[in-house]
Amino acid sequence: MLAYVIRRLGILFLILFGSSFILYNLAAISGDPIGELRFSDDPGAAQAIIDLTRQLSLDVPPPLRYFIWLKGVVGIFWGKADFGLTRDSLSVATEIGNAIPVSIRLVFVATFVAIVIGIAIGIASALRQYSRFDYSMTFFAFLLFSLPIFWVAVLLKQYMAIQFNNFLSEPKIPFGWLLTLSSLTAVFWASVLTRSRGKFWMTFSTVFISTAVLIKTLETLEWFTNPRLGPIAVFIFSIVIAFAVTHLSVGLSNRTALNSSLTMSVFTLGWYFAIQPIFNSQISLLQILGLGVVVILVATITALFFSRIDRGPLIRTTVLTALLSAFLIVVDKYMRTWSSYMSEDAVNYRPVPTFGQSKPLLPQEDYWIRTLDILVHLLLPTIALTLISLAGYVRFSRGTLLEVLNQDYIRTARAKGLTERTVIMRHAFRNTLIPLTTILVADVVGIIGGAIITERVFGWYGMGTLFNRAISTVDLNLLMGVFFITATLAVLANLIADLLYSALDPRIRAGSGK
Amino acid sequence: MRVFKFDKNKGTKENLDLSGENAIANKETAGLSQSQIVLKRFLRHRAAVFSVGMLVSIIIFVFSAIDSKIGPISINGWWKHKTDDLPPLLYEGCPGGTVGCPTISMRPKWLGGAGIALGEHPFGQDDIGRDYFALVMRGAQRSVMVMFIIGFFAATIGIVVGAIAGYFRGWIDAVLMRFTDFIITIPSVIIGAVIGAKFGNLGAAVLAVYLGLFAWTGLSRLVRGEFLSLREREFVDAARVAGASARRIIFKHILPNAVGVIIVSVTLLLSGAILLETALSYLGFGVVSPDVSLGLLISNYQAAFSTRPWLFWYPGFFIIAIALSINFIGDGLRDAFDPRQKRAISKKERLRAMVGIRNKE
């Protein structure tokens, strides 16, 4: 195994060396770094050319200049890597260091949401193969595959930001919209949940009426300008979560797990009141994460208290319920911050921005307002990225699950008399996740350098923007710096994906010959 | 009744039981050749068949609308305007004081509209009065052309590299696959941007050739995998014993057996190519002005969306229509070539099978 990893790493270095050499020369012939200065009338231009030439060693031909760059980068092995300077005499390393967190912030949420929703839809449509739901989800996925992201982005800016802000200034939902929203929701849930036509219309009408009533109630309560959940809604949602998690994780017939999860719902109600003073004082992200750890600990202890045997699944269920419920409390806090965020001068009652990664004029003292601002700025780019990458996960998880469901061990599991839930969740779903890990690793890394267009449309300053700037100004050091990071991550991700795959799937052994 | 069918993927004879579980699905394929089965299955995928019609009509429409040149053939367009005409900007009947709005009317007279008519400028006009219909047609021509050129080069290189690596194995395989890896490490947008910045002004065709030279990696890996498994099969041994050359075995014996995987993957490559071209043009690294492409049109007029949305909608619709049809064709082909794919069996058929009525087909 070790030999295999070492061999792979060796090849990795050769590949990185080769491709960076090719890219350097390609980029060098793609443009002239001092082209503009050559035709400039500015008296300082001649001096600027001389300075730039000296600073970036432009007098050395590109194939040799590459090795000057390489010499700096190889320093990474003895801890003083030198990525060179950009054209504006800034350190490439600092520029990249500033850009990476922005890119990660942009990409992480989008990937996470896309995976969760994508897998859920993919599995639902695989379980309803050749149903109307399946066909419409297939169409939806292909439609998303065919959308250029910048096109989606412009639409989102118009409808999710400008028009939505208009709506928020006077939150009245017209009757036509009410009907459309309710029927879309109803069609979706009815086709996910039911198989026969009679049940379909029953579910449809139930969901339709309840959605319409809910929207109307929220409207009359002016919830859209002043959203909140409150302790009662948090408690009710938390009970729903407890039932849902237990059902999916161990089945509702497991009373111990259900009791343990419901206990967490009661705890959540207690936490709700206990946590408000802490939330209202000065708080940081680290403290919130710390509270999360406390929640996990309490949930684990509760689960241990409830169970005598088969503790693993029980702890899993309880912890998941507790975390999701605790998350609701945080959501509630953000909702309560909303109206004061809206009334800030910098926001001025138009909360959804079309551009930028935060509002610089916003006061920075309050943690909740500051982070809400970041979240709001994340909204549009995240939706755009999610829509684009959702389709891949839907198709992939659908295909894999269908393949798994055709396997003999599924037939065996059914023949043993296991419940359908156990067959799907424990036997089929887990094996579907194995191939997903490989595309996940590749995706995350690919996206770090790959959100070029999204960053540009929404005015974010991440790796994509750096790269964009590097190409258009022929800034070789910057380009190579960005490339070095993304390519190294890509190759490493491939290696990790292979190792992970062989660890998860015992049928495959990494490095055991061909 | 029992029929034996050769399963290409497993390399075993599969016992097809015509009276058992899969009776309905299996009876249809009995006695047909591979290509007949594939065609039959493809025709059953209604969305895919519709998409073929759609794609073909879009291509014919787009290339006949305004002057175009495909290799030696020149086509004189039937549309009255050309991309470089400068007719006066029309403003009659435009909403909110804008100029150059679309004159197309889809609402028949009996519904209270102006009747179905194209008018002078069906898609409107751009800032300086150029006919937007002509521009969109030119852009779509460029995008389709770029798509096919990228597809052609990527497919050729990918198949050859994958076939050689998979067939010869050993050091040839190692060298070719490491080479493939290194092309993979460079993200396609980066390659496109570097190439576009250098060759974008040489015209869309040159750009497409260069992009094609870098787009073959995924296909070659796939073909290699297919060759690795196919080369161990008996018919390859038979050909070798009969004295066939390596070239003959690769192209005449193995390649036709791998064609399913290749075709599917190439269609997906095509839809990726059209999006790559639009993305690059959008970033300004692809097709550059005065040439026109769909991505470039969207990029130019995205700020005009709230006042003149038609400048944004029409090119977008063409991109989506083309990419969507190709994706559906790819899906249809995948279903058609996959021997494990079972089709949906309708209630009527199940009922008939249950009560034992023989299907007359």
Side-chain angles (χ1 to χ4, degrees):
Chain A
M1 197 61 178
L2 190 66
Y4 170 75
V5 174
I6 289 171
R7 203 178 70 216
R8 280 287 299 262
L9 282 174
I11 294 172
L12 188 156
F13 280 119
L14 279 180
I15 288 172
L16 279 181
F17 170 72
S19 53
S20 59
F21 183 75
I22 290 177
L23 188 73
Y24 195 93
N25 288 294
L26 267 179
I29 56 172
S30 80
D32 182 2
I34 47 173
E36 265 176 43
L37 291 172
R38 269 192 227 282
F39 301 107
S40 168
D41 298 333
D42 188 16
Q47 186 57 40
I49 291 178
I50 296 171
D51 288 348
L52 212 57
T53 308
R54 186 177 313 135
Q55 189 184 332
L56 303 174
S57 322
L58 293 179
D59 45 355
V60 184
L64 295 177
R65 211 191 314 150
Y66 168 78
F67 289 96
I68 300 180
W69 175 81
L70 189 67
K71 201 181 113 209
V73 171
V74 167
I76 209 164
F77 290 112
W78 46 92
K80 44 171 189 152
D82 174 21
F83 284 96
L85 298 173
T86 67
R87 292 188 50 153
D88 314 327
S89 312
L90 297 166
S91 153
V92 170
T94 348
E95 294 264 309
I96 291 177
N98 290 335
I100 283 182
V102 176
S103 278
I104 290 179
R105 191 204 298 169
L106 180 63
V107 160
F108 180 77
V109 184
T111 315
F112 183 75
V113 176
I115 288 171
V116 172
I117 300 180
I119 292 180
I121 294 181
I123 284 177
S125 68
L127 295 178
R128 301 261 184 285
Q129 198 189 5
Y130 301 132
S131 66
R132 243 171 242 144
F133 176 75
D134 184 27
Y135 284 127
S136 38
M137 280 304 131
T138 305
F139 179 79
F140 181 63
F142 280 135
L143 185 66
L144 293 182
F145 261 139
S146 323
L147 292 176
I149 190 161
F150 47 89
W151 202 77
V152 179
V154 173
L155 288 187
L156 284 177
K157 281 184 175 187
Q158 180 68 19
Y159 294 108
M160 286 293 297
I162 298 174
Q163 309 255 22
F164 190 67
N165 285 337
N166 289 346
F167 163 75
L168 283 180
S169 65
E170 196 189 345
K172 286 272 174 287
I173 297 172
F175 190 65
W177 272 98
L178 184 73
L179 285 187
T180 323
L181 279 177
S182 316
S183 35
L184 283 181
T185 322
V187 166
F188 180 81
W189 285 111
S191 40
V192 173
L193 294 174
T194 61
R195 281 169 204 260
S196 68
R197 197 163 292 174
K199 275 188 187 163
F200 179 90
W201 289 111
M202 249 219 0
T203 321
F204 178 87
S205 38
T206 322
V207 178
F208 181 83
I209 294 170
S210 40
T211 316
V213 169
L214 181 70
I215 293 178
K216 209 65 204 168
T217 323
L218 292 180
E219 190 189 321
T220 34
L221 290 177
E222 293 189 332
W223 193 81
F224 295 104
T225 39
N226 199 4
R228 58 161 56 82
L229 286 176
I232 299 171
V234 167
F235 183 57
I236 294 173
F237 277 126
S238 150
I239 289 176
V240 173
I241 290 173
F243 272 96
V245 170
T246 314
H247 174 62
L248 289 176
S249 164
V250 289
L252 286 176
S253 55
N254 188 335
R255 289 290 153 190
T256 333
L258 187 61
N259 291 340
S260 167
S261 299
L262 286 175
T263 314
M264 292 329 291
S265 303
V266 178
F267 277 21
T268 307
L269 191 61
W271 286 331
Y272 182 88
F273 292 109
I275 214 111
Q276 295 303 330
I278 307 180
F279 274 1
N280 288 332
S281 62
Q282 289 288 327
I283 197 164
S284 67
L285 181 66
L286 213 61
Q287 280 167 303
I288 293 182
L289 290 178
L291 288 173
V293 175
V294 173
V295 168
I296 293 177
L297 283 177
V298 172
T300 316
I301 293 166
T302 317
L304 287 175
F305 176 74
F306 267 92
S307 63
R308 293 287 167 269
I309 48 163
D310 203 17
R311 284 183 160 158
L314 198 81
I315 293 174
R316 192 182 63 209
T317 313
T318 319
V319 167
L320 203 57
T321 310
L323 276 182
L324 288 174
S325 309
F327 182 68
L328 283 180
I329 301 180
V330 177
V331 171
D332 175 71
K333 179 61 194 168
Y334 273 117
M335 285 183 165
R336 283 160 183 280
T337 319
W338 183 253
S339 60
S340 54
Y341 175 74
M342 291 257 284
S343 59
E344 288 286 347
D345 285 341
V347 182
N348 194 20
Y349 297 100
R350 296 193 70 79
V352 184
T354 55
F355 210 72
Q357 52 202 49
S358 63
K359 286 196 173 65
L361 293 176
L362 203 70
Q364 299 290 309
E365 301 89 51
D366 190 303
Y367 171 81
W368 298 101
I369 288 189
R370 196 177 69 231
T371 46
L372 185 61
D373 185 53
I374 292 176
L375 289 178
V376 166
H377 280 86
L378 266 174
L379 186 69
L380 290 194
T382 304
I383 296 177
L385 280 177
T386 307
L387 283 178
I388 297 300
S389 50
L390 184 68
Y393 288 107
V394 170
R395 295 303 291 167
F396 195 80
S397 56
R398 177 183 179 273
T400 325
L401 185 63
L402 283 177
E403 198 144 298
V404 170
L405 284 176
N406 274 333
Q407 302 279 325
D408 287 339
Y409 61 81
I410 297 294
R411 193 186 301 224
T412 313
R414 290 213 171 100
K416 281 195 296 188
L418 296 181
T419 57
E420 191 63 15
R421 190 202 63 78
T422 319
V423 175
I424 303 288
M425 291 305 289
R426 198 167 289 181
H427 293 70
F429 178 59
R430 288 197 178 173
N431 285 300
T432 313
L433 290 181
I434 297 176
L436 266 174
T437 51
T438 47
I439 66 164
L440 170 68
V441 175
D443 231 38
V444 170
V445 170
I447 278 173
I448 287 178
I452 296 173
I453 295 176
T454 319
E455 280 179 22
R456 167 136 165 183
V457 181
F458 290 108
W460 280 58
Y461 206 79
M463 294 290 271
T465 315
L466 276 192
F467 162 73
N468 214 342
R469 196 180 91 198
I471 293 274
S472 44
T473 58
V474 202
D475 196 335
L476 287 184
N477 284 339
L478 188 57
L479 178 74
M480 294 311 289
V482 175
F483 169 76
F484 181 78
I485 302 292
T486 51
T488 312
L489 284 176
V491 186
L492 276 179
N494 262 327
L495 178 63
I496 293 170
D498 283 357
L499 295 177
L500 208 61
Y501 203 104
S502 71
L504 289 173
D505 190 344
R507 286 171 298 184
I508 292 162
R509 282 274 157 261
S512 61
K514 296 274 163 187
Chain B
M1 188 175 142
R2 282 183 174 276
V3 171
F4 289 90
K5 179 175 153 261
F6 197 72
D7 185 336
K8 181 168 80 72
N9 275 22
K10 287 182 193 151
T12 54
K13 272 186 185 160
E14 200 183 9
N15 192 346
L16 291 186
D17 190 348
L18 288 194
S19 54
E21 196 182 350
N22 297 328
I24 303 169
N26 289 341
K27 190 148 69 182
E28 293 188 348
T29 56
L32 293 176
S33 74
Q34 185 67 34
S35 53
Q36 282 168 319
I37 297 173
V38 167
L39 184 66
K40 202 172 167 186
R41 282 180 164 173
F42 184 77
L43 290 178
R44 212 164 49 204
H45 198 303
R46 262 171 296 171
V49 175
F50 178 76
S51 299
V52 172
M54 176 106 166
L55 186 66
V56 171
S57 25
I58 288 179
I59 290 176
I60 291 175
F61 182 78
V62 157
F63 276 87
S64 65
I66 56 167
D67 295 356
S68 55
K69 209 158 175 267
I70 312 168
I73 317 159
S74 295
I75 301 167
N76 283 325
W78 47 262
W79 184 241
K80 52 191 162 194
H81 294 291
K82 298 202 182 333
T83 47
D84 42 9
D85 287 356
L86 283 172
L89 267 166
L90 301 178
Y91 51 86
E92 284 150 34
C94 287
T98 51
V99 287
C101 58
T103 56
I104 194 169
S105 158
M106 298 301 277
R107 206 180 197 186
K109 280 207 173 79
W110 48 273
L111 275 176
I116 297 177
L118 286 178
E120 186 64 24
H121 302 290
F123 289 2
Q125 289 169 289
D126 75 352
D127 292 337
I128 53 170
R130 289 186 294 175
D131 181 49
Y132 207 56
F133 179 78
L135 289 177
V136 171
M137 290 302 119
R138 169 73 74 213
Q141 285 178 0
R142 283 284 170 271
S143 297
V144 170
M145 182 186 78
V146 166
M147 174 181 91
F148 280 117
I149 294 178
I150 294 180
F152 173 78
F153 279 91
T156 316
I157 302 175
I159 291 170
V160 170
V161 169
I164 292 175
Y167 182 77
F168 291 105
R169 298 192 304 187
W171 67 269
I172 297 181
D173 180 29
V175 169
L176 285 176
M177 280 304 113
R178 291 298 83 77
F179 180 62
T180 313
D181 279 348
F182 52 71
I183 308 257
I184 287 177
T185 45
I186 314 179
S188 58
V189 179
I190 297 200
I191 296 177
V194 172
I195 293 168
K198 177 73 181 171
F199 302 106
N201 49 2
L202 295 181
V206 180
L207 176 74
V209 171
Y210 278 95
L211 287 178
L213 294 181
F214 287 93
W216 49 270
T217 47
L219 183 66
S220 78
R221 281 187 159 187
L222 217 72
V223 173
R224 169 178 173 268
E226 200 68 0
F227 266 65
L228 279 178
S229 75
L230 284 172
R231 75 185 298 284
E232 307 296 333
R233 299 268 295 274
E234 294 87 344
F235 67 87
V236 176
D237 290 339
R240 204 174 289 130
V241 171
S245 65
R247 204 176 70 185
R248 191 177 169 81
I249 295 177
I250 291 174
F251 290 107
K252 287 273 176 184
H253 293 270
I254 304 184
L255 198 58
N257 281 290
V259 80
V261 176
I262 292 172
I263 287 182
V264 172
S265 157
V266 168
T267 44
L268 296 179
L269 203 147
L270 289 181
S271 80
I274 198 164
L275 291 181
L276 177 66
E277 185 271 327
T278 51
L280 286 176
S281 300
Y282 178 82
L283 287 174
F285 300 133
V287 174
V288 286
S289 205
D291 206 347
V292 182
S293 93
L294 294 178
L296 195 63
L297 287 177
I298 294 181
S299 168
N300 286 345
Y301 297 112
Q302 55 171 329
F305 182 66
S306 47
T307 49
R308 294 177 295 164
W310 56 88
L311 294 176
F312 173 84
W313 283 117
Y314 290 112
F317 278 139
F318 272 87
I319 296 175
I320 295 171
I322 296 171
L324 192 59
S325 344
I326 292 175
N327 275 326
F328 267 109
I329 296 172
D331 190 50
L333 288 170
R334 189 203 333 256
D335 279 4
F337 279 108
D338 187 352
R340 287 165 305 176
Q341 200 77 34
K342 286 183 209 138
R343 81 176 162 111
I345 303 208
S346 70
K347 230 178 204 167
K348 207 168 98 194
E349 285 170 312
R350 202 176 299 142
L351 213 66
R352 283 178 124 181
M354 249 153 60
V355 294
I357 302 172
R358 292 267 151 187
N359 206 336
K360 290 217 175 72
E361 290 168 327

